[in-house]
Amino acid sequence: MTSSKSFFNAVKDRRSIYALNKESPVSDEAIEELVKQTILHAPSFFNTQSARLVVLLKKEHDVFWDMVKEVLKPVVPEDQFAATEQRLSMFRGGYGTILFFEDPAPVNDLMAKYPIYADNMPAWSQHGSAMHQYVLWAGLEAEGFGANLQHYNPVIDQKAQNHWNIPLEWSLKAQLVFGGKAGEPNEKTYKPVEERMFVYGK
Ligand SMILES: Cc1cc2nc3c(=O)[nH]c(=O)nc-3n(C[C@H](O)[C@H](O)[C@H](O)COP(=O)(O)O)c2cc1C
């Protein structure tokens, strides 16, 4: 990885960037390496390692967003479809999409093994997925990409899973769209930090 950004600069600079283009600041191998390091090192509850990541680049990314359009067409009211189409073409304008799945098999094994924690485990599985999502969102920023997070699950799950031979038991949690930055993020407001964090014992 070539990034020279410190961890906290990437945390600060990460934003939802919707205006993306098909230019990549790094090689596909560097993207693959970033995803590989994320799946190796992002934490998961009880070290379950239940995250499953599917990276779609270039044409495969386009196919995914064409698919989303196809499945939404019959379900979105006709008068709203033009807006949906416009939004989807914005995502399609990017370079790649990472699909975040969770494999329920290792989660179910742990639920059976540790019934006392079982009720919390589905939520912890979601938290683990979110950690992978965030590492990659900030990691892609550090590499010079813009990215935004989408949730076209569950409408797209079956079609995408059939198309890319992804086990149907896996559960899709989110889609991280990324590409060259073609615009600025929207203005962001911040609630007072004092209402949101508390330090004792300083
Ligand atoms: C758990 C989570 C779910 C989100 N889901 C979506 C989504 O479905 N679509 C979308 O456009 N943005 C989504 N976002 C992006 C947020 O709207 C965005 O992060 C927030 O407004 C702050 O802006 P920033 O990302 O530029 O800092 C999501 C963010 C988080 C953390």
Side-chain angles (χ1 to χ4, degrees):
M1 270 168 274
T2 53
S3 163
S4 56
K5 267 198 189 179
S6 74
F7 173 65
F8 263 102
N9 279 334
V11 168
K12 281 192 248 177
D13 292 345
R14 179 223 56 80
R15 293 294 313 279
S16 293
I17 311 275
Y18 295 99
L20 300 172
N21 62 36
K22 294 196 174 289
E23 278 156 43
S24 173
V26 298
S27 66
D28 290 347
E29 289 69 30
I31 297 170
E32 196 176 344
E33 186 61 20
L34 184 66
V35 178
K36 184 175 168 189
Q37 294 306 322
T38 302
I39 205 147
L40 275 174
H41 299 298
S44 56
F45 82 96
F46 283 44
N47 201 24
T48 345
Q49 299 171 62
S50 50
R52 304 287 178 264
L53 306 184
V54 176
V55 184
L56 305 174
L57 301 175
K58 298 176 279 199
K59 280 209 175 76
E60 301 295 314
H61 157 91
D62 293 353
V63 167
F64 178 80
W65 290 103
D66 289 343
M67 235 178 230
V68 176
K69 188 160 114 177
E70 202 182 309
V71 297
L72 286 183
K73 179 113 177 111
V75 293
V76 173
E78 218 174 305
D79 61 333
Q80 288 167 31
F81 193 69
T84 301
E85 211 171 7
Q86 205 180 355
R87 196 166 167 80
L88 296 177
S89 71
M90 196 170 66
F91 304 139
R92 193 187 191 277
Y95 186 80
T97 300
I98 303 170
L99 309 180
F100 295 83
F101 291 89
E102 281 288 297
D103 182 353
V107 178
N108 290 337
D109 288 349
L110 280 167
M111 287 171 79
K113 198 166 167 195
Y114 301 103
I116 192 169
Y117 299 118
D119 285 355
N120 291 318
M121 288 182 180
W124 291 342
S125 159
Q126 300 256 11
H127 298 173
S129 176
M131 293 207 183
H132 289 71
Q133 293 163 36
Y134 183 70
V135 169
L136 278 167
W137 198 346
L140 287 164
E141 159 60 42
E143 296 296 325
F145 285 103
N148 63 75
L149 192 65
Q150 299 305 318
H151 294 92
Y152 286 93
N153 44 295
V155 282
I156 191 60
D157 299 19
Q158 206 176 6
K159 202 169 175 68
Q161 283 168 270
N162 283 331
H163 185 85
W164 283 286
N165 288 322
I166 297 164
L168 287 174
E169 317 78 80
W170 296 4
S171 165
L172 183 59
K173 304 300 180 199
Q175 305 86 50
L176 186 65
V177 189
F178 62 94
K181 288 181 186 171
E184 294 299 314
N186 298 330
E187 199 191 329
K188 185 171 174 176
T189 57
Y190 297 84
K191 292 182 181 170
V193 172
E194 319 77 75
E195 290 173 10
R196 300 191 283 145
M197 68 166 279
F198 308 92
V199 180
Y200 298 99
K202 203 159 58 169

